[in-house]
Amino acid sequence: MENKKTLKINCALCNARNITEEFLASYEQVRINCAHLITNTAAQLLLGKYASKINTATTTSVEEEVRVSVANGSLEIAPGQKVPQQKTILVVNGTLDIAPGSEDILNSYAHITVNGSVSCPKSMVSLLSMMSINGCTDAYPDGCIRLKDTAVLDRTFRLRAKQDALYYASSQLVAVAPDIDFAALAAKNVRFETRELIVCESQAEAAVALVDERAEITIVPDGCAYVGDSLELDEGDVKRYGTKMYVNGDVTIMKENAPCLDQIEFLQVDGTVRTVRSLRDRVLAMNIKCEDMETCAGEFYCDKKRLTVTANMLEQAEDGVEIADCLYVAFQEDVSPELIRAKLMRLADCPYVICTEAQQAALERIAEDVAHMGPNADKDEQPEDDDSVVKINCATYTF
C-alpha cells in the first residue's frame, strides 16, 4: 500500500476555491498556514471532510468568480488610477497608502486585506471598515504635508517651509539642530502634528508652541545628537556623534568599549541598554535614561552548524556566554551543571542540544525554542524533515 504524504503550505494568500476531492484524497493530510484564505461553500465542505488543518488570520468566502490581485511590498491607491473592471479582492503584503480623493477606487474592490500597515486621511477612516487589516493604521490630518515617520529638521527645512502649512510626522519630530529658527517658522504660520517632539533645551519654548498639544515632549540638552538606529557604543560613535546622544533604538555596551564611557555627558535611549555584568554597576551609576536595561553575555556564538561547548570555553568567559541559532549544540561531559548555571546566560533557537541528563536540568531554565534536548537529541525523530512531508513556501498559492 502506498504511503501518502502530508502537504504543508505556508503562504500569505491561499486561494482554495478550486480545490478538488481528488487532490485532497491524494494526501494523508493537507495543512495550510496563511494570512488570508479565500474559499467558497464547496471548498469548505471538502476541507472539512478531509480534516485539513488550517491556520489563517482572515477567511473570505466568495461564491461567484472573483479576481484576486496581490501586491507584495508598498502600494498606493490614488485618484486617477484605473478602477478594476471585474469584481476583485486585493491583498497587500506590506504597506498600503490611501491618498485623499480615492474613495471611488476603494469602493470598487470586493474586499481588501492588508498584512501590514495602512495610512489614510482622517476623513477616510470610516472606509477602512470594509478591509481586513493585520497591522497598524495611521490616520493623518486632512490637508497636511506628510514628512517621514521620523522627521529630522534642520536649517533647510525653515527655508523650504510653506506658508500656513500643517506638517505631519507619524512617529517623531526631531529638532535638535541649533539653526532651525522656530520664530521664522511661526512667522509663516507653520504648524506640526506628531506623536513625539524631541527638541533641544534652548529651542523648546518656541518649538512647543507650533506642535499639536497631544504630542509627547522630550527635551534634551543643547548639543545633543540624534542617532536614528541601534548601536554598540564605542570610541567611533563618540567621535561621530559627540558626548551627548539621544538614541532611537537599543544601545549595547561591551567590556572592550568601557573607556569611552568616561566621555559620555548625556545618553537617552528610546529602547534597551544592554551591558555585560562587569560593567553593570558602572552603567547604572551613569543614570542613563532608557526604556529598559538588560545584562548580556560577553561572548556570543551564533549561526553555527555545529557547536561544541567545553568547560574551558565557559570558564574563560568572564561575562558569560550566549548561544543562538546553532543547528547542533553539544556539551562535553566535563561541563558541570554548576558551570552552566554560572556562565551560560542564554540558549535560544537551537533545534538540537546534546547533553547529559544532569546538564539538561541546568539548561532547561534558560532554553528558548529548543526542539530536542538530551543525551539522544541527535537521534530524535524529525517529523517534518523527511520525505513524508511536501512543503510549499510561497507568497500566493492557488489550488
Side-chain angles (χ1 to χ4, degrees):
M1 182 187 230
E2 181 183 359
N3 291 326
K4 295 181 180 179
K5 296 184 178 183
T6 294
L7 175 64
K8 184 176 182 181
I9 300 170
N10 299 310
C11 60
L13 171 70
C14 181
N15 187 348
R17 289 179 295 173
N18 295 322
I19 199 167
T20 64
E21 185 161 6
E22 291 76 13
F23 181 89
L24 290 170
S26 66
Y27 288 97
E28 178 68 25
Q29 186 182 63
V30 173
R31 296 192 214 165
I32 302 172
N33 300 312
C34 62
H36 190 176
L37 175 68
I38 300 176
T39 66
N40 52 29
T41 301
Q44 291 171 10
L45 290 173
L46 285 174
L47 290 168
K49 178 179 178 180
Y50 285 87
S52 302
K53 291 187 176 180
I54 301 173
N55 296 311
T56 181
T58 303
T59 300
T60 302
S61 182
V62 182
E63 296 303 325
E64 66 268 38
E65 185 58 35
V66 175
R67 178 174 173 266
V68 177
S69 177
V70 179
N72 296 312
S74 299
L75 178 69
E76 181 184 23
I77 294 179
Q81 293 178 350
K82 291 183 178 180
V83 174
Q85 295 302 304
Q86 66 181 101
K87 203 167 186 180
T88 301
I89 293 175
L90 174 64
V91 179
V92 181
N93 298 312
T95 59
L96 175 62
D97 184 53
I98 303 171
S102 52
E103 289 87 348
D104 289 343
I105 298 175
L106 277 180
N107 290 327
S108 68
Y109 287 98
H111 188 78
I112 297 177
T113 293
V114 182
N115 301 308
S117 60
V118 176
S119 58
C120 70
K122 289 182 178 179
S123 62
M124 297 178 67
V125 169
S126 61
L127 295 178
L128 302 185
S129 59
M130 53 86 71
M131 300 184 187
S132 298
I133 302 172
N134 304 311
C136 59
T137 300
D138 175 34
Y140 54 85
D142 288 76
C144 73
I145 299 174
R146 296 164 67 191
L147 303 172
K148 292 181 179 180
D149 293 345
T150 294
V152 182
L153 304 186
D154 57 16
R155 183 176 68 90
T156 61
F157 180 86
R158 180 244 306 169
L159 298 175
R160 300 169 62 183
K162 298 182 182 298
Q163 182 72 33
D164 301 323
L166 170 62
Y167 288 92
Y168 176 75
S170 63
S171 181
Q172 292 176 324
L173 187 69
V174 182
V176 296
D179 51 1
I180 297 173
D181 195 351
F182 280 99
L185 292 173
K188 288 186 173 184
N189 194 31
V190 169
R191 294 162 295 134
F192 298 95
E193 185 169 321
T194 188
R195 179 182 60 82
E196 180 183 18
L197 169 67
I198 302 170
V199 61
C200 58
E201 193 165 0
S202 62
Q203 302 198 72
E205 186 172 350
V208 168
L210 306 186
V211 178
D212 180 79
E213 64 273 8
R214 292 167 296 183
E216 178 183 345
I217 309 297
T218 299
I219 300 176
V220 298
D222 287 351
C224 182
Y226 175 83
V227 183
D229 203 355
S230 299
L231 56 79
E232 182 176 320
L233 187 63
D234 59 20
E235 189 68 32
D237 294 320
V238 176
K239 290 180 180 179
R240 180 179 179 183
Y241 299 112
T243 60
K244 303 174 185 177
M245 291 179 241
Y246 179 102
V247 180
N248 187 13
D250 300 327
V251 171
T252 302
I253 306 172
M254 303 304 291
K255 184 178 180 180
E256 60 268 24
N257 298 321
C260 74
L261 294 180
D262 292 332
Q263 304 174 58
I264 300 299
E265 298 179 65
F266 175 85
L267 180 59
Q268 184 162 342
V269 181
D270 190 11
T272 299
V273 173
R274 304 179 77 239
T275 187
V276 294
R277 284 184 286 195
S278 58
L279 287 181
R280 184 173 176 83
D281 290 343
R282 183 175 173 186
V283 171
L284 285 171
M286 295 174 64
N287 194 29
I288 297 173
K289 298 179 180 179
C290 62
E291 295 291 327
D292 194 14
M293 184 171 291
E294 296 178 355
T295 302
C296 64
E299 301 289 338
F300 297 88
Y301 295 91
C302 301
D303 300 315
K304 295 183 178 295
K305 187 174 181 180
R306 187 177 184 93
L307 175 68
T308 301
V309 181
T310 67
N312 184 64
M313 177 193 298
L314 296 181
E315 289 168 349
Q316 297 299 314
E318 179 184 351
D319 286 308
V321 170
E322 291 186 22
I323 300 172
D325 297 307
C326 296
L327 180 59
Y328 285 90
V329 180
F331 285 80
Q332 289 191 345
E333 292 188 3
D334 63 343
V335 179
S336 68
E338 292 76 20
L339 185 58
I340 290 173
R341 284 190 284 267
K343 291 300 181 77
L344 188 60
M345 299 178 64
R346 184 169 176 251
L347 177 65
D349 301 306
C350 299
Y352 294 91
V353 176
I354 305 167
C355 60
T356 66
E357 291 183 0
Q359 292 169 341
Q360 183 175 351
L363 291 171
E364 285 177 344
R365 69 184 180 89
I366 56 168
E368 304 172 24
D369 296 320
V370 174
H372 304 279
M373 179 187 294
N376 299 312
D378 56 338
K379 299 178 183 178
D380 284 348
E381 183 184 2
Q382 302 176 46
E384 290 189 1
D385 203 25
D386 57 25
D387 292 338
S388 68
V389 177
V390 177
K391 292 183 183 179
I392 299 176
N393 299 315
C394 58
T396 302
Y397 187 87
T398 301
F399 285 95

